[in-house]
Amino acid sequence: MQTVLNLLEVEPIRLLISFGAVLFLVLNLAAILTMAERKVSGYIHLRYGPNRVGPRGLLQPAADVFKLFTKENVSPGRSDLWVFLGAPIAMFIPAALVWLVVPFAPDAVVADLNVAILFFVAITSIGALGVVMAGYGSRSAFSLLGALRGAAQMISYEVPLILSLLGVVMLTGSLSLVDVVQAQGDTIWTWYFLPQLPMFITFYISGIAEVKRVPFDLPEGESEIVGGFMIEYSGMTWALIQAAEFASMAVISAITVTLFLGGWQPPLPFLDLGPFNWVWFGIKTALIMFTFQWIRWSVPRLRMDQLMDLGWKVLVPMTLIWLFVTAGLMLLFPSLGA
Amino acid sequence: MGVMQQFNEPNLITTSTDKLFNWARKNSLWPLQFGLACCAIEMMSTGMAHNDLDRFGAGFFAASPRQADVMIVSGTVSTKMAERMTRLYEQMPEPKWVIAMGACAISGGPFLDGYSVLMGADRVIPVDVYVPGCPPRPEALIFGVMTLQKKIERDQQVGYERPLPALVDEDGTINEYLPEREYTGISEGKAPRLEGIRPLKRTYVFEREGMPPAAQTDVGWVPPEVKKRLKEEAKARKAAEAEASGDGAATKTEENA
Amino acid sequence: MLGEERRAEHEGALTEPPSSRLVSPDIRDEFGLETIDMNMGPQHPAMHGLLRLILELDGETVVRCDPVMGYLHRCQEKIAENRMYPAVIPMTDRLDYFANMHNEHGYCLAVEDLLDVEIPPRAEYIRVLMCELMRLASHIPSIGFLMLELGAFTPILYAFRERERIQSIFEAVTGARMMFHYIRIGGVKADLPPDIPQKIWDYIESLEAHFQRDFVDLIQDNEIFISRTRNVGKMSQEQAVEMGVTGPALRCTGVDFDVRLDYPYSVYPELQFEVITDTAGDVEASYRVRIAECLQSIQIIKQCLEQMPEGEVLGDTGRRIRPAEGEGFGRVESPRGEYAVHVVSDGSDTPYRVHYRDPSFCNMQLLQEIVPGHYLPDIMPIMGLIDPVSGGWDK
Amino acid sequence: MALTLPEGDLQTRLERYLEGLDNRHGLEESEIVDGVVRIVAAKGDVPAVLATARETLGIPHLSFITVVDRQGTFELTYELIDLRGATVRVKTTIEGDEPVIGTVTGVYPTANWHEREAYDMFGVAFAGHPDLRRTYMWQDHFDHHPLLKSFEISTKRTFEGLR
């Protein structure tokens, strides 16, 4: 037993095992989130949602996954096969990779990089590549439009997303996510979402845009371009795209919690659970994801030009102004900085 | 499924995987979002809050045929639509099922006499479950979905003989197996023409400028000079044909001689 | 008018006319720009049935839009020629399947025009009552469909909850949920069951109580809804009248044409109601017209229930309906606009010719007029503005 | 923007329409029956009559065009309404096996699809129509005009067969 625990201390083995655990979590997360999505939508729609498969319908995602496993995998006759089949993988890998730097608890992080925020920014922006590959590979007017929309949207919203991170980086003075969480302290009013409120809102909105959910789901646009870039995918490739979407949604929630809502820190000092502080992280992430779903079922979709207006004319100026305000305040009161 | 089909008869592996996959398939039947006519409204009602089809795991109406498992043919199928419907059916990945909802999709229903109405969806695609009614109540459609679930439960990968249509004697013995209906024809091109009706002469095809190719086969009114030219061309063609057939007859007689 | 202040507040937010987005073909050639052809439909989630649009797109801007119909052509007019007069009524149910009662009513009016039959006043009131319930059951889902096509999923479920309740009333009265065959030549099939007037009254009261909450407060002031619908599908009065548009799509431009008032039929002259108009002529205006018309329908239903006389419900038409040679016309205001029927009789017991003027068919001509210049996603709210029904335009 | 709809008493308006049309064109029949101006015009006059109705008399709306196949002749009914209670019904008859009549799309743009429908169902050609395609049927699959009386569908359901 002791040897096994010692083995965990050895760096490459620890990394591999913890990465395996994270991958397992991510893959299951997609299933759990589809179920949550259907249940939440059910309650918003005044209906039950799945309740026949297993207790209270909890085995529904299992049925969906096994069905998709055995579904025929169609690729259109004129598609660019390698690009077509590579796209879901190119979408899934970045979504899963970002989990490497998410700190679940003080010691529970796969890789505590000192450039974790840069890593997050770099990896998420690869996701747009997968969308473009899917749209191009499918050879369909609908998916091409979806891919163009997706690329434009994800690249545009990358800018406010990164700019809104900078306030936190300035306050912390570090690019490590563990440092960011530790700098926020264990009381709810010292978390960064209060001093950085405009940045928090910007990050939240551009986060929704980054993961392509309503009201920013233009690349999919079910009632316009019938699923957009994923219109031609079936079976497992489609499931992989869905898994990537849900994983990236979860990762954006997790990063929001880490940067602005104090990560694993309890809201008040006496609620400190010690080694079980990851429960706080889980609760906060779930809450953010619930708000994503709440928005999903409540508002209509924007149009492309309005989306660009919002991104470039509202969010970017707002973050830039607040960046200068933060910098000025830090110059005036040096105690603010870490 | 290639691995499984190497077994000649059912064994432990095939039966247990059958159980798992049939359970998964029957509990996750995603219908294609394919509303044809009046029945589509009742199909929508079925998916809505009062009759919540999502309870059975069948509530995700897939807009793209690639992600759908079951096609609910909800309404009258016109001959113009039959080709599109067949194409949609072919675009769906295996395994796939079809529910014919309503009298029109079963037999043509009240529009049976119509000149552009297909007498039942099963003339072009194989149908698994028929739900009668005009339109069927949502409860009836839910019953149809549950019937389909029972059918899927019986499915086997190996050792399952599909029941063939047969002529059966009074005592129940099978007299003669009938050939299976082949579903070809419509998706390859043309819908079956109505027979026994004299084609009228007052239609002409012409190409319209500035229209995409898909719309160019439609008919338009033709100015008289073009009409004249078309008539002359047809006459010339007919004359050429007559000449050719005359030649053919001549050669034939020569051969006989 | 609902939300008039907010409109003033937002004025000038989107003043660019859609046609200015179009690049002229010369410029396109000069810069080597290419357009793409795209087929939308017939199987498409937002096409209200089986409509195929051949689109030419310049980026996301629609250059040309060509609707292709006929995917649900069910030979209604030919079949009607081969059936006896009463046997055509169930076929008209299947024309515009969101306005079944109005279709029956229009056809019966046309045949009664041929026959000169006396219709009992109670039957007239029941007809109007049922038609207005049908209008509610059509307008409320059409608001839901508009939102569904904009990407919000929830309103359609709330709308169908109301439709389900109205359908249960229909089922109690007529025995069917959708295809009623209730309005007959000379009256209606049967009297209302004794407890139904009270049930309708209770339902209408409850609908009035939560209508504002479910369909106005939830939608009207949503910033995204406003930006997606304001100045989208904008048309002038001349344009609308020229293209033969009727119904809410015409009234949202400000032309107060309503068959119920201008070409009065049945007992509408005895009832008090307003013609709802709006001035903007865009999708948002049509939404507001539909909302206000629902409230008017509620008022009409209440008046019908209060004023309904006792008596017979089916006039005497004889066992075999065989009108003299001639022509009959019927015109009603269906939820989508002016629905007219022209019946030609040759003295036999089958009509010689039946022609339906369906509002969906005529209103759809707007598509090729107003869609060019809009962005691709704007087609969906414009379909919501016209709100056509497949069975109607294809007959 | 604002569109002016005809005003005044219904009866005076009807008389004005009747007079206006009667004075300008040689009509075969013209009368007022039950609040409807009923007019029978020669085939060639129809576009001109409708142009007068729209341009001079200001009747804004063409409701529908009905074609009736009288086996040998075709009877066309143009129903115009002024959106305020008055109706003008213009009838005409086309002889012959290949009916042709002038289009009214220039006068009433809404006639576009009505004429396409009439062409599809009856084969009545409208000379000068900008886009005379079939609306419902396909040329590839179907080369009949189905509403002609010469085109028969399988069953005719009347009392005649039952008694």
Side-chain angles (χ1 to χ4, degrees):
Chain A
M1 194 62 208
Q2 198 57 40
T3 46
V4 173
L5 284 179
N6 283 341
L7 210 60
L8 282 176
E9 300 290 313
V10 185
E11 191 47 38
I13 296 175
R14 188 197 70 85
L15 193 74
L16 278 178
I17 290 177
S18 50
F19 183 59
V22 165
L23 202 65
F24 181 75
L25 172 82
V26 171
L27 283 170
N28 279 311
L29 213 56
I32 294 164
L33 282 177
T34 42
M35 190 61 207
E37 181 107 34
R38 284 168 92 157
K39 278 291 180 189
V40 168
S41 77
Y43 286 119
I44 290 177
H45 292 161
L46 316 171
R47 60 191 174 87
Y48 288 110
N51 66 354
R52 287 293 195 277
V53 197
R56 297 183 70 82
L58 286 176
L59 289 179
Q60 184 64 49
D64 286 345
V65 166
F66 280 117
K67 183 207 71 177
L68 286 168
F69 259 126
T70 57
K71 202 87 177 136
E72 185 189 4
N73 206 344
V74 182
S75 55
R78 294 191 304 154
S79 68
D80 198 333
L81 199 64
W82 287 107
V83 179
F84 181 77
L85 293 180
I89 301 166
M91 265 184 254
F92 184 75
I93 288 176
L97 265 188
V98 181
W99 282 100
L100 288 183
V101 295
V102 174
F104 296 90
D107 297 323
V109 49
V110 180
D112 179 14
L113 298 183
N114 54 2
V115 288
I117 292 180
L118 284 185
F119 181 82
F120 160 71
V121 168
I123 297 293
T124 41
S125 56
I126 299 178
L129 183 70
V131 174
V132 175
M133 280 167 73
Y136 174 78
S138 305
R139 281 274 177 101
S140 147
F142 285 112
S143 35
L144 188 66
L145 271 179
L148 290 177
R149 286 175 174 193
Q153 171 181 338
M154 291 173 87
I155 290 168
S156 303
Y157 274 77
E158 202 81 349
V159 177
L161 190 83
I162 295 167
L163 283 176
S164 56
L165 287 172
L166 290 183
V168 171
V169 175
M170 280 158 70
L171 286 177
T172 321
S174 163
L175 286 170
S176 160
L177 284 172
V178 176
D179 288 355
V180 170
V181 177
Q182 265 157 1
Q184 293 186 48
D186 55 358
T187 42
I188 194 164
W189 52 84
T190 54
W191 295 350
Y192 285 150
F193 79 98
L194 275 179
Q196 296 283 323
L197 191 60
M199 298 296 214
F200 172 59
I201 294 168
T202 314
F203 188 85
Y204 184 75
I205 293 174
S206 29
I208 299 178
E210 196 67 23
V211 299
K212 307 186 284 289
R213 288 181 68 81
V214 173
F216 305 106
D217 68 335
L218 292 105
E220 290 156 34
E222 176 137 331
S223 62
E224 303 157 10
I225 50 173
V226 212
F229 61 89
M230 54 166 108
I231 186 170
E232 295 287 357
Y233 285 92
S234 63
M236 247 358 251
T237 45
W238 188 78
L240 205 55
I241 293 178
Q242 286 296 309
E245 298 231 314
F246 280 111
S248 57
M249 173 182 138
V251 87
I252 285 283
S253 322
I255 296 283
T256 314
V257 167
T258 310
L259 289 174
F260 294 100
L261 295 175
W264 68 79
Q265 306 268 20
L268 290 169
F270 67 87
L271 291 171
D272 195 336
L273 298 177
F276 290 100
N277 261 341
W278 53 267
V279 171
W280 286 115
F281 178 81
I283 290 174
K284 291 179 205 167
T285 313
L287 267 178
I288 294 282
M289 281 192 281
F290 170 71
T291 58
F292 279 9
Q293 291 177 348
W294 191 358
I295 291 172
R296 161 95 177 74
W297 297 106
S298 301
V299 294
R301 180 184 307 123
L302 280 168
R303 207 170 56 199
M304 198 67 212
D305 54 329
Q306 292 157 356
L307 180 90
M308 291 292 158
D309 280 359
L310 179 68
W312 291 104
K313 293 184 188 165
V314 179
L315 294 183
V316 171
M318 191 160 88
T319 45
L320 283 176
I321 290 168
W322 199 253
L323 213 54
F324 281 110
V325 170
T326 312
L329 285 176
M330 281 176 73
L331 275 179
L332 281 177
F333 311 102
S335 62
L336 279 175
Chain B
M1 288 302 107
V3 183
M4 293 298 167
Q5 265 130 33
Q6 285 170 6
F7 299 108
N8 291 323
E9 55 188 36
N11 57 26
L12 185 67
I13 301 171
T14 64
T15 47
S16 47
T17 51
D18 272 345
K19 262 190 190 152
L20 176 67
F21 291 147
N22 289 345
W23 171 80
R25 283 170 183 169
K26 83 168 197 196
N27 283 317
S28 162
L29 276 176
W30 293 352
L32 177 63
Q33 195 173 347
F34 180 54
L36 274 169
C38 336
C39 294
I41 310 298
E42 287 296 71
M43 185 175 81
M44 260 181 253
S45 290
T46 317
M48 294 299 162
H50 191 80
N51 304 292
D52 200 9
L53 195 58
D54 203 15
R55 286 177 297 159
F56 307 92
F60 180 89
F61 280 82
S64 165
R66 301 279 187 218
Q67 288 123 36
D69 303 304
V70 52
M71 176 193 242
I72 301 179
V73 184
S74 54
T76 321
V77 188
S78 68
T79 45
K80 199 170 175 178
M81 194 60 203
E83 192 188 324
R84 304 307 172 105
M85 189 178 75
T86 323
R87 190 187 292 175
L88 281 171
Y89 179 75
E90 283 162 358
Q91 281 175 341
M92 281 163 58
E94 292 279 353
K96 54 194 171 186
W97 298 275
V98 177
I99 295 178
M101 181 188 181
C104 299
I106 294 172
S107 69
F111 305 101
L112 190 76
D113 331 337
Y115 45 84
S116 76
V117 174
L118 197 72
M119 290 185 195
D122 56 1
R123 297 209 167 202
V124 286
I125 54 175
V127 174
D128 294 277
V129 176
Y130 298 85
V131 184
C134 188
R137 298 175 61 90
E139 292 89 332
L141 181 59
I142 290 177
F143 180 74
V145 170
M146 288 167 81
T147 313
L148 182 60
Q149 288 183 338
K150 279 180 196 150
K151 181 175 176 170
I152 293 168
E153 230 169 32
R154 292 202 305 267
D155 204 11
Q156 287 181 9
Q157 298 163 44
V158 179
Y160 175 67
E161 283 181 15
R162 289 187 57 202
L164 288 169
L167 292 176
V168 184
D169 284 343
E170 276 177 14
D171 58 345
T173 54
I174 291 168
N175 192 6
E176 181 196 347
Y177 281 107
L178 299 173
E180 260 189 284
R181 177 185 273 175
E182 286 180 7
Y183 295 99
T184 54
I186 287 238
S187 73
E188 286 166 6
K190 307 290 185 272
R193 283 179 183 233
L194 295 174
E195 286 172 10
I197 297 166
R198 182 177 59 89
L200 296 169
K201 291 174 188 167
R202 271 199 308 279
T203 48
Y204 302 95
V205 185
F206 75 119
E207 295 198 346
R208 292 178 311 115
E209 282 177 13
M211 295 297 291
Q216 277 194 351
T217 54
D218 287 354
V219 181
W221 180 79
V222 186
E225 56 268 22
V226 181
K227 208 186 254 186
K228 207 172 179 184
R229 201 192 57 192
L230 282 172
K231 266 182 188 168
E232 279 167 12
E233 277 175 16
K235 207 181 272 177
R237 200 165 54 240
K238 211 174 251 177
E241 271 174 24
E243 206 174 330
S245 62
D247 284 353
T251 46
K252 224 173 199 175
T253 44
E254 275 172 24
E255 275 172 18
N256 285 349
Chain C
M1 207 62 241
L2 302 161
E4 199 55 52
E5 310 88 53
R6 286 194 67 86
R7 169 164 285 277
E9 207 175 285
H10 279 261
E11 211 55 71
L14 271 167
T15 44
E16 178 201 17
S19 55
S20 70
R21 298 192 195 116
L22 280 184
V23 184
S24 80
D26 306 342
I27 297 175
R28 220 179 282 139
D29 289 345
E30 192 182 329
F31 291 96
L33 301 174
E34 281 183 17
T35 57
I36 43 175
D37 284 344
M38 197 161 109
N39 249 319
M40 202 177 246
Q43 186 260 336
H44 188 280
M47 280 301 126
H48 285 252
L50 301 175
L51 176 65
R52 172 175 164 217
L53 295 180
I54 302 173
L55 301 172
E56 192 181 334
L57 297 178
D58 175 14
E60 288 236 354
T61 316
V62 182
V63 179
R64 194 176 51 77
C65 167
D66 185 18
V68 178
M69 295 163 290
Y71 291 96
L72 190 59
H73 183 56
R74 301 195 276 192
C75 338
Q76 288 270 13
E77 294 179 355
K78 189 74 183 177
I79 289 176
E81 284 175 16
N82 291 293
R83 294 191 168 220
M84 289 173 293
Y85 282 94
V88 179
I89 302 173
M91 312 306 286
T92 60
D93 270 333
R94 286 145 181 96
L95 263 174
D96 180 345
Y97 40 77
F98 261 109
N100 322 52
M101 281 291 179
H102 298 90
N103 300 341
E104 294 177 3
H105 198 178
Y107 174 76
C108 289
L109 283 178
V111 178
E112 284 154 8
D113 188 15
L114 274 168
L115 282 174
D116 286 333
V117 56
E118 184 93 7
I119 302 151
R122 185 175 171 82
E124 292 277 26
Y125 273 99
I126 293 176
R127 281 180 177 189
V128 171
L129 177 70
M130 288 293 133
C131 282
E132 293 304 322
L133 274 175
M134 192 76 235
R135 195 183 307 280
L136 279 179
S138 167
H139 272 353
I140 295 178
S142 89
I143 294 161
F145 284 130
L146 170 65
M147 293 306 285
L148 180 66
E149 283 148 20
L150 290 176
F153 198 78
T154 307
I156 185 78
L157 282 116
Y158 293 177
F160 262 83
R161 183 187 55 181
E162 301 307 326
R163 188 178 156 83
E164 201 72 39
R165 289 174 185 170
I166 298 174
Q167 276 183 326
S168 69
I169 293 174
F170 281 143
E171 199 178 352
V173 176
T174 70
R177 281 165 58 91
M178 274 180 77
M179 306 303 170
F180 310 118
H181 195 187
Y182 182 62
I183 297 178
R184 300 287 170 89
I185 298 164
V188 294
K189 181 176 84 178
D191 202 349
L192 298 177
D195 59 332
I196 277 296
Q198 186 57 42
K199 272 188 182 166
I200 298 177
W201 186 273
D202 291 348
Y203 168 66
I204 289 297
E205 293 265 287
S206 77
L207 174 65
E208 209 174 9
H210 65 245
F211 189 80
Q212 180 77 15
R213 191 190 66 205
D214 282 2
F215 300 108
V216 183
D217 293 350
L218 184 66
I219 300 169
Q220 179 162 299
D221 288 347
N222 188 326
E223 208 64 41
I224 302 177
F225 171 74
I226 291 173
S227 63
R228 279 302 299 277
T229 54
R230 182 156 298 169
N231 287 350
V232 169
K234 203 165 173 63
M235 56 189 165
S236 66
Q237 293 185 352
E238 279 88 3
Q239 207 177 5
V241 170
E242 258 182 10
M243 297 318 294
V245 178
T246 46
L250 176 67
R251 287 193 285 273
C252 75
T253 64
V255 181
D256 56 343
F257 169 61
D258 189 323
V259 180
R260 290 175 292 176
L261 270 188
D262 290 319
Y263 291 81
Y265 59 98
S266 204
V267 288
Y268 279 112
E270 294 164 32
L271 301 169
Q272 294 292 317
F273 62 98
E274 287 171 32
V275 179
I276 307 296
T277 55
D278 203 300
T279 48
D282 54 11
V283 180
E284 196 200 2
S286 82
Y287 157 78
R288 281 193 265 118
V289 166
R290 288 210 169 89
I291 287 287
E293 278 188 9
C294 287
L295 298 173
Q296 288 297 322
S297 286
I298 291 174
Q299 297 310 318
I300 297 177
I301 290 168
K302 281 186 173 175
Q303 290 174 40
C304 279
L305 288 172
E306 279 167 355
Q307 300 174 10
M308 189 172 291
E310 293 296 320
E312 287 291 305
V313 292
L314 191 58
D316 184 25
T317 57
R319 189 163 161 70
R320 189 172 175 186
I321 292 173
R322 205 170 205 189
E325 212 167 310
E327 294 180 33
F329 292 85
R331 177 176 282 123
V332 296
E333 175 77 21
S334 98
R336 269 151 277 281
E338 177 205 354
Y339 169 80
V341 182
H342 180 184
V343 179
V344 180
S345 158
D346 63 344
S348 71
D349 55 5
T350 58
Y352 189 74
R353 167 101 168 95
V354 180
H355 181 69
Y356 305 110
R357 183 233 193 250
D358 196 278
S360 305
F361 177 75
C362 305
N363 292 3
M364 271 229 308
Q365 288 195 57
L366 261 186
L367 274 181
Q368 51 191 9
E369 288 295 311
I370 60 176
V371 164
H374 281 98
Y375 293 115
L376 176 70
D378 286 339
I379 295 178
M380 282 78 217
I382 291 174
M383 290 297 283
L385 170 128
I386 300 171
D387 188 30
V389 172
S390 187
W393 78 66
D394 272 347
K395 295 182 194 168
Chain D
M1 175 85 187
L3 176 100
T4 48
L5 291 177
E7 284 173 6
D9 182 40
L10 178 63
Q11 196 58 35
T12 51
R13 247 182 300 145
L14 286 173
E15 277 158 16
R16 184 163 67 85
Y17 296 151
L18 182 68
E19 221 168 273
L21 291 172
D22 226 354
N23 289 346
R24 285 179 182 78
H25 305 282
L27 302 174
E28 291 171 9
E29 279 176 47
S30 57
E31 53 183 341
I32 298 179
V33 189
D34 297 342
V36 175
V37 181
R38 197 174 153 279
I39 280 166
V40 180
K43 178 184 124 189
D45 287 346
V46 168
V49 169
L50 264 65
T52 311
R54 171 146 173 90
E55 312 292 327
T56 317
L57 303 175
I59 302 174
H61 184 72
L62 172 71
S63 183
F64 56 83
I65 301 173
T66 310
V67 186
V68 184
D69 176 17
R70 295 282 185 193
Q71 279 156 331
T73 60
F74 289 90
E75 194 181 291
L76 268 72
T77 310
Y78 294 77
E79 174 122 336
L80 312 175
I81 60 178
D82 71 347
L83 305 185
R84 278 293 174 268
T87 310
V88 177
R89 200 168 286 155
V90 182
K91 281 184 174 278
T92 186
T93 309
I94 318 175
E95 309 263 329
D97 201 27
E98 298 203 359
V100 180
I101 187 170
T103 178
V104 293
T105 44
V107 190
Y108 289 100
T110 180
N112 189 330
W113 283 17
H114 293 288
E115 290 183 354
R116 276 177 64 186
E117 190 197 346
Y119 169 73
D120 185 8
M121 292 288 125
F122 288 92
V124 179
F126 292 85
H129 189 286
D131 179 25
L132 198 59
R133 280 177 290 154
R134 306 192 81 155
T135 35
Y136 297 138
M137 309 307 299
W138 272 8
Q139 170 61 17
D140 298 5
H141 291 193
F142 196 85
D143 42 13
H144 320 287
H145 294 297
L147 280 188
L148 291 174
K149 289 286 170 186
S150 59
F151 180 95
E152 283 187 6
I153 58 174
S154 56
T155 47
K156 192 168 173 83
R157 290 169 190 176
T158 63
F159 272 129
E160 314 295 344
L162 298 175
R163 283 187 183 170

